[in-house]
Amino acid sequence: PAGASTPANGPASTPATKAVVTAAPPSPIAGKKDPCSYVTVAEVQATTGKTISGAPHQANDFLCEYPTSDSGTVNIQVSYPFKQADWEAAAKRNAGGAPVAIAGVGDEAYAISFGVTALKGVNSVSVEVFPTAGAAPGNAQAIALATLVISKL
């Protein structure tokens, strides 16, 4: 046909339509889907002072529960990607409207009942340690464990 080119060894060619294929962006914490994979039982015990009494349990895609010998739990939740607006709304909601900032944990952090929630990049890490007799929100054990988890993201 007029206007089509014919290679010496084949049929006439027509301009190709290119399909644009975009891969999903890599996860901020690629390869780390199991929330129980960030720290070992020994690390949980060392940072919290709690004796872990059973195997960690992945409660859902984001939450790992470590049962303790005092009938409590240590919970680690890792969520991503987390948008700044969602972070700010969660901080207000989870802290009763007035989040108490905790310095030195991730990019920013605030106290929650029995623990701490921190933001590192687009990753949110929450750690709760209970029971913690007489401990205030943002207790030292939860802060130590959250800092360790963040270092492994």
Side-chain angles (χ1 to χ4, degrees):
S5 63
T6 306
N9 62 352
S13 64
T14 57
T17 303
K18 292 187 178 184
V20 177
V21 178
T22 56
S27 164
I29 41 183
K32 293 267 191 167
K33 297 287 185 187
D34 178 352
C36 298
S37 68
Y38 295 99
V39 292
T40 66
V41 168
E43 290 170 323
V44 172
Q45 291 182 142
T47 55
T48 65
K50 295 283 190 178
T51 300
I52 303 304
S53 60
H57 168 70
Q58 182 176 347
N60 59 37
D61 290 344
F62 309 105
L63 177 63
C64 184
E65 300 172 331
Y66 295 80
T68 61
S69 63
D70 59 357
S71 300
T73 60
V74 174
N75 295 334
I76 298 173
Q77 180 172 315
V78 180
S79 305
Y80 57 89
F82 225 85
K83 296 176 185 167
Q84 187 66 34
D86 294 337
W87 167 258
E88 291 168 4
K92 288 178 182 172
R93 182 178 61 251
N94 294 338
V100 176
I102 298 176
V105 183
D107 297 333
E108 48 185 304
Y110 62 91
I112 58 175
S113 297
F114 302 104
V116 62
T117 294
L119 186 67
K120 180 66 176 174
V122 295
N123 304 304
S124 172
V125 175
S126 295
V127 174
E128 296 175 300
V129 179
F130 22 10
T132 48
N139 65 66
Q141 299 97 327
I143 291 169
L145 184 53
T147 300
L148 179 61
V149 171
I150 288 168
S151 75
K152 296 183 176 208
L153 293 177

